Amino acid sequence: MTADGEDGSDDSNSSDGRKNVESEAAFDPDPERVAFLREVADEIRSDSSESKQLANILYRTSDLYDADEETTPEEIVRNVKFILEVTERGGLER
């Protein structure tokens, strides 16, 4: 079996035929970016629920660039949606 699809197309190509090299390299480990995002998250965190939400989102986003974390943009989007839904419901209380 080859890396190409059965029809001979390369699965890593975008709909216009270009390689998705940029998206593959976009989340390479970058300790400086991790530190920056987490520093901003720490600075904006305050007692308001909105600032806590945003700080949590920045922390989750920084995980994309953390070599010790294994996450995808899709997982982060799901996590962010969960954070927003929990806040909308008034917390984790059941």
Side-chain angles (χ1 to χ4, degrees), residues 7-89:
D7 63 356
S9 65
D10 184 348
D11 292 337
S12 64
N13 287 346
S14 64
S15 60
D16 63 1
R18 290 181 287 151
K19 292 267 187 189
N20 290 328
V21 173
E22 181 180 324
S23 65
E24 291 172 5
F27 304 115
D28 286 341
D30 186 342
E32 289 179 13
R33 187 171 290 186
V34 171
F36 175 73
L37 289 169
R38 292 178 181 176
E39 180 181 329
V40 171
D42 290 338
E43 287 179 16
I44 65 168
R45 186 178 302 277
S46 68
D47 291 334
S48 75
S49 64
E50 292 85 3
S51 68
K52 289 177 185 175
Q53 280 180 327
L54 185 54
N56 290 339
I57 291 167
L58 287 171
Y59 264 95
R60 286 296 293 147
T61 302
S62 74
D63 289 346
L64 283 173
Y65 305 99
D66 189 337
D68 296 331
E69 296 288 338
E70 292 185 18
T71 191
T72 65
E74 293 80 12
E75 290 172 326
I76 291 174
V77 167
R78 281 192 300 270
N79 189 255
V80 168
K81 285 181 180 181
F82 178 74
I83 291 169
L84 297 174
E85 289 169 2
V86 166
T87 302
E88 187 176 295
R89 289 192 312 253

